[in-house]
Amino acid sequence: MKSARVHTHGGPHVIVVDDVPIPRPGAGEVLVQVAATSFNPTEVAVRQGRFTLPLPHMLGWDVAGTVDGDPVVGWIDGAAAEYAVTTPDRLVPAPRTVPLPDAAALPLAGLSAWQMVVEHGRVRPGHRVLVNGAGGGIGGFAVQLAKHAGAHVTATASPRSAEVVRDLGADHVVGYHPTGRFDVVLNLVADAEVARLGDVVVSATLSDAPDAHFVTRFDAAQLTGLVALVDRGVVRIDVSERHGLADLPGLHRRAEAGDLRGKVLVTP
């Protein structure tokens, strides 16, 4: 099978598509036939060696695919391949109302947004919420979940992302220097200034955020809840681009240059 792997740390050129044996599930594991994974910016840090992981490392965390013909979505290791092995507790039934590959955009970004909005931000009806960096994958889901919670949402986004962010439900879209006062600030960019604007500040980037800096965790119940919101039409999966495994080095280069918007799918 084809698999995108990193054999050594370095620039995007270290990503190679290898021919490797189809993995065999062990006791308590299942084999996923992968329909798609999605690119996550954190994989740049993995490739660069900022995380200690065994090499060679198979890329890809988000997965949408099938197990014995049943459509599933989840968060696993090594999803940038035609097949992957994982345990069943890392998977949930996929949405029924979207193409299966599109579901790969949901797990990491959707769970990050859920945990920011619901757990840490505790967004409630009438809250004034700022989503700082709404043009990315997490930001798009955060806008939708905050609106679903009944908030009035202001979002920062680049001109190329502004229209999409409005379509996702933002009440106001502004540039990268927001002003005003907000009940909750959801920060997705390295901008310490926004911490002054919120009564509650939840940040995926600032380790000294006054209220919550967090690392997203997998939660099957939350992912199941997100799938239900997709099927109800409450949450939309916005796929900005679709690529193959061989395009991953180029996607990493573009990510480092800030040239990616929303969720980018990668199909084996």
Side-chain angles (χ1 to χ4, degrees), residues 92-258:
V92 305
R96 303 180 305 274
T97 56
V98 298
L100 181 57
D102 290 16
L106 188 61
L108 269 74
L111 286 170
S112 296
W114 181 293
Q115 289 163 25
M116 292 186 82
V117 172
V118 179
E119 284 191 357
H120 298 293
R122 299 181 180 180
V123 175
R124 298 290 183 266
H127 272 175
R128 295 158 297 160
V129 173
L130 172 66
V131 180
N132 191 39
I138 300 173
F141 287 123
V143 167
Q144 296 180 80
L145 291 174
K147 285 299 296 181
H148 180 58
H152 183 279
V153 178
T154 298
T156 67
S158 66
R160 68 177 178 175
S161 301
E163 183 176 352
V164 170
V165 171
R166 287 190 190 95
D167 287 345
L168 293 176
D171 297 287
H172 296 291
V173 180
V174 299
Y176 286 123
H177 301 286
T179 59
R181 192 72 194 171
F182 301 91
D183 297 296
V184 181
V185 170
L186 307 175
N187 185 52
L188 295 160
V189 298
D191 180 3
E193 294 299 312
V194 299
R196 301 182 303 174
L197 304 180
D199 296 336
V200 173
V201 179
V202 183
S203 181
T205 59
L206 303 174
S207 59
D208 58 349
D211 295 290
H213 169 73
F214 75 103
V215 176
T216 306
R217 72 184 191 283
F218 178 75
D219 187 300
Q222 291 177 0
L223 184 55
T224 299
L226 285 164
V227 167
L229 291 177
V230 170
D231 280 339
R232 287 169 50 195
V234 173
V235 168
R236 189 176 99 200
I237 296 177
D238 172 39
V239 175
S240 60
E241 299 181 32
R242 302 169 193 271
H243 294 272
L245 293 177
D247 297 328
L248 272 168
L251 292 177
H252 276 237
R253 291 187 189 95
R254 290 176 58 198
E256 290 176 317

